[in-house]
Every structure is written in C-alpha cells, then in structure tokens.
Amino acid sequence: MIPRFFSDFFSRHLVQRPQQAFSDLLSRYFVRVPRMEMLSGAVLYDRHASDELLRPHGLQIKSESLCSDLSLLALGSEVINRYELEATIIFELSKRLPWWARIVPGLTDALKSAMLKAQMREWLLLELLQTLRLPGTNFKRRYLSAAVFYCSAKLAVQRYDIPLAEVRDWLQRVSTLAKSISENEETLLEALPNDARIAALPEMLAEQFEAEKVDAEMFFSGELFRAAYAIGKAVRMIRSARDSKESRESQHLDRLEGLLSHPGRAIILETSRRLEKFQAFVLEKLREFHPDPNGDELRLRPIAETGEIRSIRTGSLALLALHGPLFWKRAVGRSFDVKEYGFIEEERPRAHLLIDKSPSMLFFGKLFKAGGVLFNRLLCTLEDSADVTFQLFDGTLHQRIEVEGPYEAQKVMSMIRMANFVGSGTDIDQALRRTIAEVKKLPHRTTPDHIVLVTDGAKEVTVTPDECEVIKLHCFILGESNAELRAISQATGGVYQVC
C-alpha cells in the first residue's frame, strides 16, 4: 500500500498545488518550520479563531502555521534570520524523513527544494509585514491589519506581477499615514468620492479603453504607482467578499483599507503633509491686540512707566511693603507685568488655488498630487486660519469657488475625480494674469494674498514679479521645471517645488 503521506502529497500538491496547504502538509508529517521568534506564554489565533475574526471582513487565512505567524507578528515578535530558516528546513527534513521517503530517487532533494521555495515565499511576506509597524491599538486590530497587508501584498505580487520591493515601499508609506490621521484630515478624506467615482472616465474615453481591453487605472499609474494601483485592486477584491453587516472592528479597517483601495487617497494625504515642511507655505491668522479700557480681553505686558504701578499684580505690590528699594529697582527695570484690557482683531490670510485640469494631469498620480495641495489649503479652512478660493483651468479659467467652511471644503474635495480633469490645452499665462487682476480688486488686508498654482505645463509665462506687487506666488510643478514660474515664485517669496 502507498503510505498515507504519498497519497496526501500527490492529491494535494502535485494535482491541486495549493501553496500553503503543501507547507502545512510537510509540517504535519515532519516538523513545523519556525518563521517567527516564539514568545513565551503568548495566546495565538488558530485557524478557527482566525476565521471567526476575519470572515466578516472578507478575509481568510487557510494555513494554520500562517495564523500563528501573523499572531506573533501582531504581538511584536520578529521574523527569524532567513539563513537560519533555510538551515532549519534542510536539517529537519534530513533528520525526520522516514526510510521509505529516502529510498525514492530524487524525492529528498525535491522535498527540500519545494519546502524551501514555499517557506521562503511566506518568509519574504512576513519580513515585509515586520517593517510596517502594524496599525492598531491592540492585538486584535494589529492582527486584522496584518491580514489585510498580507492578503493584498500576496495578490499584488502573484496576480499583478509587482516586485516585492515596490509593494513594500508603498505599504510602508500607507502604514505610516494610517497611524497618524487627524480629525480634520479624516473629515476631508471622507468627502472624497468612492473608488468607482474617483476612477470613472468620460463615457467616450472609457469605451476606448474597453475596446482596446486596457486597464485604464494601470495605464495611467505608470511605473511610479503601479504597485499602489495593484494593491488597490487587491483590497477591492477583499472588500467585495465582505459581509454586509460589519463588526465593530471595521472602523479600524475602513481607515486602513480606504487608503489602500484607491492610491489617490494616500497620495493626497502624503502630498499634503510634505507641504507642511515649507515655512513660507504656512498660513497663520493675524491677531492684533488693541488697548481699550472697555475691552473684554485681558493681557499682561511689561510696565512702561511708573504711572502704571497701580495696574501691576497684587503679589508684586507686596514687595513694596517688604523691601521698597528692591521694588523700585525692579519697577525701573520693567520687571513687573501690568494688566491691560482691550480688543483682539483677527485677520485671516487669503489663498487662491489654480489647478490645471488638462488631460495630462491624469497620468502618474499628478491629479492626486494636485489634490494634496488643495487638501493642505482646505485644512486651513477647517482650522479657521485662512480664507480659500479654488479654480480649475485649462485653456480657460473656470468658475471660482469660495470655501467658507467645512461644508464647502468637503464639497470641493468631492470634485477630485478623473472625469473632472479631462479638459483642453493649458494656458497658464492667461489663468495667472486674470487671477492676479481679480486678487488686486479685493479689499486690502495687512497679510499678503497667496496664489497657489498647480500644473504640469512647461509653457512660457510672461507675468512678471512686479505685476504681483505684494502677492506671493507658490508654484507646484508636476512635470518638467518652468524657469519663468520659478523666477516669479522666488522673487515674491513663495514656494517653488517640482513634485
């Protein structure tokens, strides 16, 4: 009779070839190969417990050993050295193979090669997950994060043939973003359209891609974001299998999967945070104190003259009774603070955004980088630190939108979808000149106005720094450098950046 191992081996590996099942099969008959450093006393998920947790989220881990590995990873364990893993596999197989397996010519070498390949494939994914510092505030949430990252990374590598290094880089970036989203950032991200609406193209253009049987998303992604789009497709496949009734843990996954399911969200958030490093791009509300005895605001300031001694704090007056000479010495040296009433006048700076909507903006994440600049300025509206206007332009300058509060900010963010960025040729000079003229008509403010131009165009610009007067021009170029725009930005004290 054929030993049970051979019957299982031929039926489950040579015929059906499930990769994880083969690894578990060898582990069951010979030895479980440790891929993670063990933690003493750790309670790990088995396959049944993992299924109960993951099934409502459309996830499934079929391998018992992988459930254990992901559990250890969520608890903070580390992946063992790959050379130790290889040595362990070779040693244990050589030691534990039964005599009837040793006599079959070539079987030992075949088993070593197959198990090394299967285990190293899993080890590489586990090692990738270890570098991500899994999002989540407890073991269960980190396990869910590990499962999402594992399944999406595996699909991206195997189905879409994306190099593991590219998958690692993108997941690291998204993981970092997911762990630090603020309340205002969450508000604007929620206003973005769903995945289908973001990616939707005008009917005529969509028909052309369909006729050519070309994936439009991967076509526009380019080499730079192909891993991001592949992972997004994998996450959408996972979401499609999710139960309609989501568990309490789904809020944690929604944030993570939202950044993964369409790369636009992560690109927008990442671009916005990069802009915070530019001091010249920071908008701060101007607050001026105007003294007035009838004012309702109180401030403390250094004493200006001896006549104000009656306004100093009571504790300081006690020094006059205890040590008069020291009191007067400090008074002359203006070491005392006096109370002063008055009014505070606030003035918010104005930011005027011009975003190119020509068709070339659809490529290489340009649309979402532009959305990141817009996102950053809209955060100022939510923080009540700036007044923002927004206009799209191509060959012409389109309608201006006044962003007066959170509602308008969310409405503007809902416009960031590919269908809205299929325009005509780009006329940067006309758009910039008309905007400068409109800004000059606005009521004067102490703080300078800011014009923020986002384009991938390299066309000549005839506007001069003198025409801008006190206006600061910030330019974010999503393509080749533009010498004229760089000169104007630098002359007006603005930011010039090629993204």
Side-chain angles (χ1 to χ4, degrees):
M1 294 181 61
I2 299 177
R4 185 181 174 189
F5 168 76
F6 282 107
S7 63
D8 284 349
F9 179 77
F10 282 108
S11 63
R12 300 182 64 182
H13 176 60
L14 295 183
V15 179
Q16 301 175 9
R17 300 183 67 84
Q19 296 160 357
Q20 292 176 348
F22 172 63
S23 179
D24 283 346
L25 178 67
L26 292 180
S27 298
R28 175 151 53 89
Y29 278 97
F30 303 114
V31 62
R32 181 183 179 277
V33 178
R35 295 178 295 220
M36 305 289 300
E37 297 286 354
M38 296 302 296
L39 299 176
S40 177
V43 179
L44 311 179
Y45 283 119
D46 58 18
R47 185 174 172 183
H48 175 71
S50 177
D51 280 347
E52 286 189 350
L53 175 64
L54 300 180
R55 189 179 297 110
H57 306 289
L59 297 163
Q60 185 180 26
I61 302 297
K62 297 180 180 180
S63 167
E64 188 75 39
S65 61
L66 183 57
C67 291
S68 175
D69 290 337
L70 294 181
S71 298
L72 289 168
L73 198 65
L75 290 170
S77 183
E78 296 183 353
V79 179
I80 69 171
N81 185 285
R82 67 179 297 169
Y83 302 107
E84 181 182 347
L85 175 67
E86 293 177 0
T88 301
I89 293 172
I90 294 172
F91 175 76
E92 294 293 350
L93 278 178
S94 300
K95 177 182 175 182
R96 297 175 181 269
L97 274 177
W99 65 269
W100 41 263
R102 296 174 187 268
I103 63 176
V104 179
L107 180 59
T108 302
D109 291 338
L111 288 176
K112 287 180 181 178
S113 176
M115 194 165 187
L116 275 171
K117 184 177 180 180
Q119 292 289 348
M120 287 309 300
R121 184 186 298 111
E122 298 299 323
W123 183 90
L124 287 169
L125 289 172
L126 292 172
E127 194 269 339
L128 180 153
L129 296 183
Q130 180 184 269
T131 65
L132 301 181
R133 295 179 60 195
L134 299 171
T137 55
N138 55 40
F139 168 54
K140 184 183 292 185
R141 292 185 177 184
R142 286 193 294 273
Y143 184 84
L144 285 167
S145 298
V148 169
F149 281 138
Y150 174 86
C151 293
S152 58
K154 189 170 184 178
L155 279 172
V157 171
Q158 294 183 357
R159 176 167 295 197
Y160 300 105
D161 197 27
I162 306 297
L164 192 64
E166 294 182 19
V167 172
R168 180 197 302 272
D169 176 67
W170 181 249
L171 291 182
Q172 284 177 339
R173 291 158 66 179
V174 173
S175 178
T176 300
L177 294 172
K179 289 181 290 188
S180 56
I181 297 178
S182 68
E183 184 177 346
N184 285 338
E185 288 174 334
E186 186 73 28
T187 299
L188 292 181
L189 286 174
E190 289 176 353
L192 287 168
N194 59 34
D195 299 334
R197 292 194 68 195
I198 288 179
L201 294 169
E203 185 177 353
M204 182 180 298
L205 192 57
E207 289 176 352
Q208 292 178 5
F209 279 104
E210 186 175 349
E212 297 291 334
K213 296 182 179 180
V214 174
D215 187 321
E217 286 187 312
M218 299 302 287
F219 177 80
F220 287 120
S221 73
E223 293 292 316
L224 186 60
F225 292 109
R226 63 175 182 171
Y229 277 91
I231 290 170
K233 290 178 178 296
V235 171
R236 293 199 292 271
M237 289 176 60
I238 293 170
R239 277 185 164 181
S240 66
R242 175 174 295 180
D243 288 349
S244 58
K245 295 182 179 179
E246 300 177 356
S247 69
R248 293 178 61 186
E249 297 292 340
S250 63
Q251 184 175 3
H252 161 68
L253 277 191
D254 278 347
R255 172 177 291 183
L256 180 59
E257 290 181 345
L259 293 175
L260 289 171
S261 63
H262 193 287
R265 295 184 178 87
I267 298 171
I268 286 171
L269 184 57
E270 187 177 53
T271 303
S272 172
R273 292 189 179 178
R274 285 177 180 170
L275 300 184
E276 296 172 1
K277 299 178 181 179
F278 296 104
Q279 185 61 37
F281 201 58
V282 175
L283 298 181
E284 294 182 351
K285 186 190 301 184
L286 179 65
R287 292 171 59 90
E288 290 187 351
F289 183 86
H290 298 280
D292 189 325
N294 299 317
D296 53 7
E297 295 287 340
L298 174 65
R299 74 169 181 175
L300 294 175
R301 62 166 177 80
I303 187 171
E305 56 183 2
T306 56
E308 295 178 336
I309 288 178
R310 63 180 180 277
S311 299
I312 67 175
R313 291 181 293 179
T314 305
S316 299
L317 285 172
L319 183 62
L320 178 62
L322 295 173
H323 200 293
L326 179 59
F327 173 84
W328 290 110
K329 181 179 180 181
R330 290 188 176 181
V332 172
R334 302 183 63 188
S335 298
F336 295 129
D337 289 334
V338 298
K339 295 180 289 186
E340 185 176 46
Y341 285 92
F343 296 99
I344 291 180
E345 182 179 352
E346 296 184 340
E347 182 180 271
R348 293 188 297 270
R350 292 182 293 228
H352 312 273
L353 280 96
L354 296 173
I355 296 183
D356 190 346
K357 62 165 290 184
S358 58
S360 58
M361 291 287 287
L362 298 180
F363 291 89
F364 319 130
K366 293 178 184 179
L367 162 60
F368 304 111
K369 289 179 181 179
V373 179
L374 174 63
F375 186 95
N376 182 273
R377 298 296 83 177
L378 292 180
L379 286 175
C380 296
T381 301
L382 269 61
E383 296 163 0
D384 194 34
S385 61
D387 293 331
V388 177
T389 66
F390 165 66
Q391 283 178 283
L392 294 173
F393 75 94
D394 45 15
T396 59
L397 188 60
H398 294 260
Q399 180 182 4
R400 178 167 54 185
I401 300 174
E402 303 278 348
V403 185
E404 299 178 350
Y407 173 76
E408 289 82 5
Q410 290 180 308
K411 189 174 181 181
V412 167
M413 284 309 300
S414 69
M415 298 173 61
I416 302 300
R417 41 198 182 96
M418 299 181 76
N420 287 337
F421 285 77
V422 182
S424 58
T426 306
D427 192 337
I428 302 173
D429 199 62
Q430 180 196 23
L432 189 55
R433 193 175 294 279
R434 286 183 56 186
T435 302
I436 291 173
E438 291 296 325
V439 170
K440 287 181 179 179
K441 295 178 183 178
L442 297 174
H444 173 73
R445 288 189 180 181
T446 304
T447 55
D449 283 86
H450 299 252
I451 295 178
V452 184
L453 175 69
V454 186
T455 181
D456 65 341
K459 294 185 178 179
E460 182 181 357
V461 176
T462 62
V463 176
T464 64
D466 291 338
E467 294 179 62
C468 294
E469 296 181 356
V470 296
I471 299 172
K472 287 188 176 183
L473 176 64
H474 308 276
C475 296
F476 297 93
I477 310 301
L478 310 178
E480 297 180 5
S481 182
N482 188 306
E484 291 85 2
L485 290 176
R486 181 174 64 248
I488 300 172
S489 297
Q490 293 173 348
T492 59
V495 174
Y496 177 86
Q497 182 71 17
V498 178
C499 301

